[in-house]
Every structure is written in C-alpha cells, then in structure tokens.
Amino acid sequence: PPHSAHAIGDVSYLPVDDYSERWSIAATLRTQSSPYEDEDIHNDFIPLLTYSGETLFLAGTKAGAHLYKGVDWRANLYAGYRFAGYNDEDKEFLTGMERDDSVDGGFDLTRVTALGDLTFDAASDVSSNHNGQVLSFNWSRHYDHGAWQVLPWVGVSWYSQDYNQYYFGVREQEALPTRPQYRADESTSLRLGSDIRYAIDSRQFLTFNIEYERLGNTVYDSPIVDEQDILKLGLNYRVQFEEEAVANSASHYDFFNGPGKAWFIRVAGGFETETSLNQIVRGDVEFEPSHPAI
C-alpha cells in the first residue's frame, strides 16, 4: 500500500486498494540529499518484483500479509529490508566505522475516512543490528482524475535511541580528533510528500515520488551529520502481468500437457559474492570467479 511506502522498504508504490492477485516487475530510481558529512547526493537503482494478493503481498523489499481489509479499517503485518547501513568504503570520513542494513518487522493500521487515511506504523529490528524501533503516524488522501492519481501525505516519525545511536552515533573506539565520541538520543522527524501516478495503459504504470524530511536535532548534532533537511525524489516504472486462465478443477488439468503450457528448460549460472544487498541493488558488486555457482 502507498502509505507503507513512507515507512520501511516499500518502494513499489502499489495502489492501496489493489488486491488483484497479479504479479508485476518494476524498477525504482531514487535520489536524495544525504545527511552525512561530505556526501551531497545519494542515488539508488532498485529492481523489484511485486505481488498484490487478497491475503499476501510482496512490495519489492517488503513482504507481508493483509490481516484485515474493510471499508473503514485496514491492517497489515510485514517484514522489510531497511537500506540504512554504510561502511568506510562508501565514505572516507567514516574511516573505521561500519553499520549494517537491517530487516525490520512491522505492523500498520489505517483508518479510512472521508477526509483521508490515517495510518499508524510500528517497526522493530528483527535482525539484531540496530535493535531499535521506528513509529510513524501519517495522513494521506487519494485524488483520481482519469489516468492520473495523486496521493499527498504528511506525517511524523519517531526513532528510538538504539536506532539513532547505531546509525548516527560515534562509539568510543571510533572517535578521532575530527570525529568525537557521540551518543544520539531518540528523535522525531517531520515528513511530507506526494506520489503522482500515471496509468500508461492497463498494464503499465509510472509513479513519481517526492518527499521532504526534517531530521531531529539529536541526529543533526552528530559529528558525522551535516544536513538536517532531506529531499528525496523517486521514479518508478511498473509492468503488471496479464491475468492467466487457470483450469477450474484438478480433473480438467493435464500435468504434462496443461492448458496451453509448453515445456521449457532453464539453465542458470553465476559467481559467489560477499556483497551486501544494499550494494547489489546499487550495482556495486564484486564477484569471486574462483567460486562459480551453477
């Protein structure tokens, strides 16, 4: 759902009311101003596989289950990959520092009203990396005009002390004369933005996203941070697969011939890599050709 796109990991921009049980392939190009010292712009290219089901959904780096969907309320349970890590190979000023991405488990609850949707989202680290929590409360509203859909939204996000200390703190053993030890406290950020979606045809969709976030003072005061106002831009292209005719019962299905199903053989190969998922989706991959994987 779109409201979840502004919480963790969901960069697929799926329509909130899409339970069509269809698969899509998509790609998102994102750029944002970076909060970190000596890094002005940060870019990501993320290939995606999405699925909108009655019960389950897959939104690129986020997957979960629809616990409840009604006229006035919606509730989802999910797990998502958070792209927040870094290491000293990425940025020279972070020499001796490394932070991993995380997998967060979460729950979101939406109240649908005539004045817009009110969404509460709670996520917690289940990968034992930052061991923190993020809580968000958003307002959003849909405006439809033919092939165009616009979703403006505004919200606040609370980040726990553990989360901020992991990604923005400086440990004692990491301290340098130009980078003193720093312990970050919990913080609250103001966030607002909009999704603009255009249906090229019944299968192709283009979404432009803009988001502004004002980081809390405890984050901005960190010696590795030099920017408090963050602007994020995203462009997403999605192709939805056609519905496939399926036999009504097993008695009508021929496993060997099937309803128009041809046999095929697939051969795959590759090489081993210790590159993280964060680096893979950004195209920063180092292969080890001496360890082929077939």
Side-chain angles (χ1 to χ4, degrees):
H3 61 268
S4 299
H6 312 300
I8 168 181
D10 183 356
V11 290
S12 61
Y13 306 107
L14 294 172
V16 69
D17 55 353
D18 186 355
Y19 304 106
S20 62
E21 299 185 332
R22 293 189 182 185
W23 291 87
S24 302
I25 55 173
T28 295
L29 179 63
R30 297 192 304 175
T31 184
Q32 72 167 66
S33 54
S34 173
Y36 293 107
E37 185 79 31
D38 294 338
E39 183 182 49
D40 296 327
I41 301 296
H42 181 82
N43 299 306
D44 289 305
F45 176 76
I46 306 176
L48 302 166
L49 180 66
T50 68
Y51 172 72
S52 301
E54 284 284 339
T55 303
L56 303 177
F57 66 87
L58 173 63
T61 56
K62 179 178 177 182
H66 301 299
L67 299 182
Y68 179 80
K69 51 184 186 296
V71 176
D72 298 325
W73 292 92
R74 295 188 300 266
N76 301 306
L77 187 67
Y78 66 84
Y81 192 91
R82 186 182 292 277
F83 293 93
Y86 56 78
N87 58 55
D88 54 12
E89 295 179 359
D90 298 329
K91 307 170 185 66
E92 183 177 351
F93 71 91
L94 293 175
T95 299
M97 298 183 67
E98 183 172 348
R99 301 293 188 268
D100 294 325
D101 297 334
S102 69
V103 177
D104 291 6
F107 169 81
D108 65 64
L109 178 67
T110 297
R111 175 71 165 94
V112 181
T113 74
L115 299 178
D117 296 352
L118 301 174
T119 300
F120 171 75
D121 187 291
S124 182
D125 180 21
V126 296
S127 57
S128 299
N129 287 331
H130 61 76
N131 293 308
Q133 295 76 41
V134 179
L135 306 179
S136 299
F137 184 77
N138 298 330
W139 168 90
S140 63
R141 186 170 183 176
H142 285 84
Y143 295 93
D144 296 333
H145 183 73
W148 293 89
Q149 291 185 350
V150 180
L151 177 75
W153 61 273
V154 61
V156 292
S157 293
W158 173 85
Y159 300 90
S160 71
Q161 183 182 51
D162 287 337
Y163 178 93
N164 282 339
Q165 174 60 19
Y166 186 75
Y167 288 117
F168 301 107
V170 179
R171 300 164 183 165
E172 182 179 3
Q173 63 270 28
E174 298 170 335
L176 298 172
T178 57
R179 189 181 65 203
Q181 180 181 356
Y182 183 76
R183 181 161 185 81
D185 202 350
E186 63 185 51
S187 68
T188 301
S189 293
L190 171 68
R191 304 165 67 237
L192 56 92
S194 182
D195 295 346
I196 302 172
R197 180 172 178 259
Y198 176 70
I200 301 173
D201 52 35
S202 61
R203 298 177 59 227
Q204 300 182 84
F205 305 93
L206 194 64
T207 300
F208 172 73
N209 168 262
I210 183 170
E211 176 182 343
Y212 164 81
E213 180 173 10
R214 174 81 172 182
L215 300 177
N217 289 334
T218 187
V219 173
Y220 183 53
D221 290 340
S222 169
I224 63 173
V225 172
D226 70 347
E227 191 66 55
Q228 188 169 19
D229 299 300
I230 305 301
L231 181 64
K232 306 175 185 180
L233 302 175
L235 184 63
N236 175 272
Y237 173 71
R238 183 168 65 92
V239 179
Q240 185 171 266
F241 298 150
E242 292 285 0
E243 281 191 283
E244 188 175 18
V246 179
N248 292 329
S249 68
S251 61
H252 296 119
Y253 183 75
D254 184 334
F255 178 82
F256 293 100
N257 298 315
K261 300 289 187 181
W263 284 87
F264 65 89
I265 296 176
R266 177 178 297 165
V267 178
F271 292 97
E272 181 183 88
T273 178
E274 296 182 355
T275 307
S276 68
L277 177 60
N278 191 329
Q279 293 171 297
I280 290 173
V281 298
R282 293 172 183 168
D284 182 14
V285 183
E286 293 185 3
F287 298 105
E288 178 51 65
S290 62
H291 295 84
I294 303 296

